[in-house]
Amino acid sequence: MDFSNELIERLKKARVVSALTGAGVSAESGVPTFRDPGGIWEKFRPEQLANFEAFMSDPDFVWSWYQHRREIMREVMPNPGHYALVEFEKIFSEFNLITQNIDNLHYRAGSKRVTELHGNIERNYCVSCKTFYNDIDVNEKKVLLCKKCGSIIRPDVVWFGEILPRKELIFAEDCAKNSNVFFSIGTSAEVYPAAMLPTMAKQSGAYVVEINIRPTVMSMDVDEVLQGKSGEILSELVNNLKKS
Ligand code: BJW
Ligand code: ZN
């Protein structure tokens, strides 16, 4: 891929670079996305499963769905896109990685500082006393009960209608406001408040770059669209930056 001179020059001069990642970044690892053909929501509508009411009305069903996904996420490996973002930490004087993904793959690739906006599937907590249970056996198909109070245990992920973790969201907003270059990678940019971050970055003067295999609702509003697989584009970008 040919990168524009403008992008390369801006990246060379940048003091702060940030990236928001979504499910597309893990697609090349084999984790299904949400809204692509064959994605998670093709079989189940989000309202059916990713909300607290659904969990409380049929905890075993929602739990088994998370167990299924936890199994996939544990079995797959990070891909070149995750590894390229690890390199970004070394290339830029300040690099902030913000993810909507719950799959743990940025950490497993070696990224040191990841801001997780929608939680992490490896953490779970009791809905009543909030005790954490993080070492879950994926074969436990029925919802687990808290050893302290007997209530049910849920994954520590953010469902529709729930607020995002406060510290993480404030940090992500600060990144959007203070970045010289802001990447939006592998996200449909349809779920708020994460989806407002690239717009916020643009309004604050950042050069906003989208990397996606297809156009999104945001493509017309960004400064540059790099169309293709994030694993391939990010690896090429790292090579280009290391050479120049
Ligand atoms: C590739 C590729 C490759 C494929 N290379 N690219 C303002 C306006 C309207 C609505 C709202 C609003 N503010 C809040 C709302 C309500 C709601 C919302 O946003 N609804 C919209 C759907 C309209 N938001 C919320 O409820 C949030 N909470 C909140 O705002 O609290 C305050 C509040 C409370 C009550 C009322 C009002 C306000 C919480 C949102 C939580 C989202 N949770 C989920 C589930 C997490 C747990 C789990 O995984 O089970 O998070 S939903 C799901 O979507 C998941 C994802 O993180 C999130 C984003 O999806 P993502 O990552 O973008 O994936 P896809 O599949 O959509 O896109 C993949 C992209 O990759 C595609 O574009 C592909 O083309 C691309 N791709 N392969 C590069 N190889
Ligand atoms: Zn408890």
Side-chain angles (χ1 to χ4, degrees):
M1 160 155 305
D2 285 331
F3 299 104
S4 69
N5 287 337
E6 166 125 39
L7 175 60
I8 298 301
E9 287 310 311
R10 281 183 182 265
L11 285 172
K12 277 197 215 159
K13 278 193 266 169
R15 199 176 44 79
V16 184
V17 176
S18 302
L20 169 71
T21 63
V25 165
S26 298
E28 289 155 72
S29 292
V31 180
T33 60
F34 295 90
R35 294 168 187 83
D36 288 312
I40 296 172
W41 304 133
E42 220 172 44
K43 290 180 209 128
F44 304 105
R45 286 182 22 251
E47 308 83 59
Q48 279 178 283
L49 295 175
N51 73 75
F52 188 67
E53 290 69 34
F55 180 61
M56 293 311 277
S57 69
D58 194 348
D60 284 337
F61 180 57
V62 175
W63 178 257
S64 68
W65 185 60
Y66 277 94
Q67 285 291 56
H68 168 68
R69 291 174 57 205
R70 194 175 276 129
E71 198 168 4
I72 296 175
M73 290 170 185
R74 282 184 189 172
E75 275 171 7
V76 302
M77 297 300 286
N79 68 59
H82 296 107
Y83 291 118
L85 291 168
V86 178
E87 294 302 307
F88 272 22
E89 286 181 349
K90 299 171 195 155
I91 292 172
F92 303 117
S93 47
E94 181 181 331
F95 176 62
N96 305 299
L97 181 54
I98 303 153
T99 190
Q100 298 168 84
N101 299 344
I102 61 165
D103 58 27
N104 218 22
L105 286 171
H106 286 305
Y107 276 124
R108 284 178 54 203
S111 284
K112 292 202 172 58
R113 202 162 50 92
V114 186
T115 299
E116 295 177 319
L117 292 178
H118 293 164
N120 187 308
I121 200 165
E122 290 299 344
R123 294 192 304 262
N124 306 269
Y125 65 91
C126 166
V127 297
S128 297
C129 73
K130 316 287 183 227
T131 301
F132 272 85
Y133 294 87
N134 294 347
D135 195 10
I136 297 291
D137 176 355
V138 285
N139 297 313
E140 299 272 10
K141 297 298 179 211
K142 280 193 184 306
V143 73
L144 299 177
L145 301 181
C146 176
K147 293 195 175 83
K148 286 194 183 157
C149 76
S151 291
I152 52 178
I153 292 165
R154 61 165 284 178
D156 185 11
V157 299
V158 181
W159 283 326
F160 283 106
E162 294 184 324
I163 51 167
L164 275 65
R166 191 180 138 79
K167 203 167 64 120
E168 279 78 356
L169 183 58
I170 290 173
F171 181 74
E173 288 172 355
D174 283 346
C175 294
K177 286 178 195 154
N178 295 318
S179 295
N180 304 107
V181 180
F182 191 96
F183 288 93
S184 176
I185 313 171
T187 176
S188 59
E190 286 178 23
V191 176
Y192 286 84
M196 75 184 181
L197 294 169
T199 312
M200 198 181 263
K202 173 95 181 128
Q203 283 164 353
S204 306
Y207 191 73
V208 180
V209 183
E210 179 176 70
I211 302 178
N212 203 302
I213 49 169
R214 60 176 71 90
T216 71
V217 288
M218 217 186 55
S219 303
M220 302 291 277
D221 301 323
V222 301
D223 294 292
E224 193 160 334
V225 175
L226 303 176
Q227 190 163 339
K229 292 183 173 179
S230 50
E232 294 171 7
I233 292 176
L234 286 169
S235 310
E236 285 181 42
L237 186 56
V238 164
N239 288 339
N240 189 311
L241 290 168
K242 280 186 172 168
K243 265 192 286 171
S244 55

